[in-house]
């Protein structure tokens, strides 16, 4: 009663199958990624990691705050130098 699809076959045992009574002889028909368990494992590791909405929002906020800080630092530099303030004081204000 062997079937073309291994999971439909009535005379198939998997690696972890136990023989509770009697004796048996087995023939290995598939190994590694070609086994059913190997195919499932391969499918599970092939999934794409998707970025969550929370991760997208946090990334957007971090970019906004970074750009805002850079713009403010640049404005302080420009205003400080245009007012004739010593460059050491202007740099200290930015830092």
């Amino acid at each position: 009663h062997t079937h073309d699809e291994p999971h439909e076959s009535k005379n198939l045992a998997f690696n972890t199958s136990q023989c509770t009574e009697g004796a048996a002889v087995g023939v290995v028909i598939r190994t590694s990624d070609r086994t059913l368990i190997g195919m499932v494992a391969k499918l599970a590791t092939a999934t794409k990691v998707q970025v969550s909405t929370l991760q997208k929002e946090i990334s957007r906020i971090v970019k906004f705050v970074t750009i805002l800080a850079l713009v403010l630092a640049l404005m302080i530099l420009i205003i400080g130098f245009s007012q004739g303030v010593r460059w050491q004081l202007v740099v200290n204000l930015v830092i």
Side-chain angles (χ1 to χ4, degrees), residues 19-71:
C19 183
T20 58
E21 188 175 309
V25 174
V27 177
V28 176
I29 58 169
R30 293 185 182 165
T31 59
S32 187
D33 288 343
R34 293 178 305 215
T35 64
L36 288 177
I37 295 171
M39 285 187 254
V40 170
K42 190 175 183 182
L43 287 172
T45 58
T47 58
K48 284 186 175 180
V49 176
Q50 294 183 349
V51 178
S52 71
T53 306
L54 179 62
Q55 289 172 319
K56 290 177 186 177
E57 286 298 315
I58 289 173
S59 177
R60 202 185 85 183
I61 290 170
V62 167
K63 286 178 187 175
F64 174 76
V65 170
T66 301
I67 291 171
L68 181 65
L70 291 173
V71 167

Side-chain angles (χ1 to χ4, degrees), residues 1-18:
H1 295 91
T2 301
H3 196 277
D4 289 339
E5 292 295 326
H7 60 278
E8 297 290 335
S9 185
K10 295 184 188 290
N11 60 352
L12 185 70
F14 293 98
N15 184 30
T16 57
S17 298
Q18 296 180 359

Side-chain angles (χ1 to χ4, degrees), residues 61-95:
I61 290 170
V62 167
K63 286 178 187 175
F64 174 76
V65 170
T66 301
I67 291 171
L68 181 65
L70 291 173
V71 167
L72 287 174
L74 185 62
M75 287 176 55
I76 290 171
L77 284 172
I78 292 171
I79 292 170
F81 288 134
S82 68
Q83 296 295 320
V85 180
R86 290 187 341 228
W87 69 270
Q88 293 95 348
L89 182 60
V90 175
V91 171
N92 284 338
L93 283 173
V94 170
I95 295 174

